Amino acid sequence: MAAARVKPMQTPPRPTPRESTEAMVRNIGRELAEIEQGMRGCRGDLVAEPKLTGTWMAHLLISSKELLHNLLIDTAKRPQRL
């Protein structure tokens, strides 16, 4: 019978710092402006325009979820320390 291999304990990954809400808003605005610029260049294209519109909508949904999460953290009441 083969001996069971024991894996060494792995340390959990360190949490990455949270992006500030202000930086997040700036980045979302910049990214959406880039998508909108791309959309202007493909108006009327029966393939590209719907794809970029879908990309824009997906980006808004994902970004708004992350932004809302950040805002909830920023505005949450902190527990009182005794």
Side-chain angles (χ1 to χ4, degrees):
M1 194 168 1
R5 295 175 86 189
V6 178
K7 290 185 180 180
M9 278 188 59
Q10 293 180 347
T11 57
R14 301 179 91 183
T16 55
R18 183 172 62 92
E19 183 178 28
S20 75
T21 302
E22 294 82 15
M24 186 178 281
V25 169
R26 281 192 308 273
N27 288 334
I28 291 169
R30 180 184 46 76
E31 292 160 354
L32 288 175
E34 290 172 6
I35 294 170
E36 287 175 331
Q37 182 179 0
M39 287 178 68
R40 280 193 293 274
C42 71
R43 291 268 186 244
D45 186 312
L46 297 177
V47 175
E49 187 175 5
K51 285 185 177 182
L52 275 174
T53 301
T55 300
W56 182 73
M57 291 171 60
H59 188 282
L60 277 175
L61 286 171
I62 292 167
S63 298
S64 62
K65 177 203 168 281
E66 292 172 355
L67 182 58
L68 178 59
H69 184 256
N70 245 24
L71 289 169
L72 287 171
I73 291 170
D74 289 348
T75 60
K77 287 189 175 186
R78 304 290 187 245
Q80 268 189 331
R81 292 192 176 248
L82 299 176

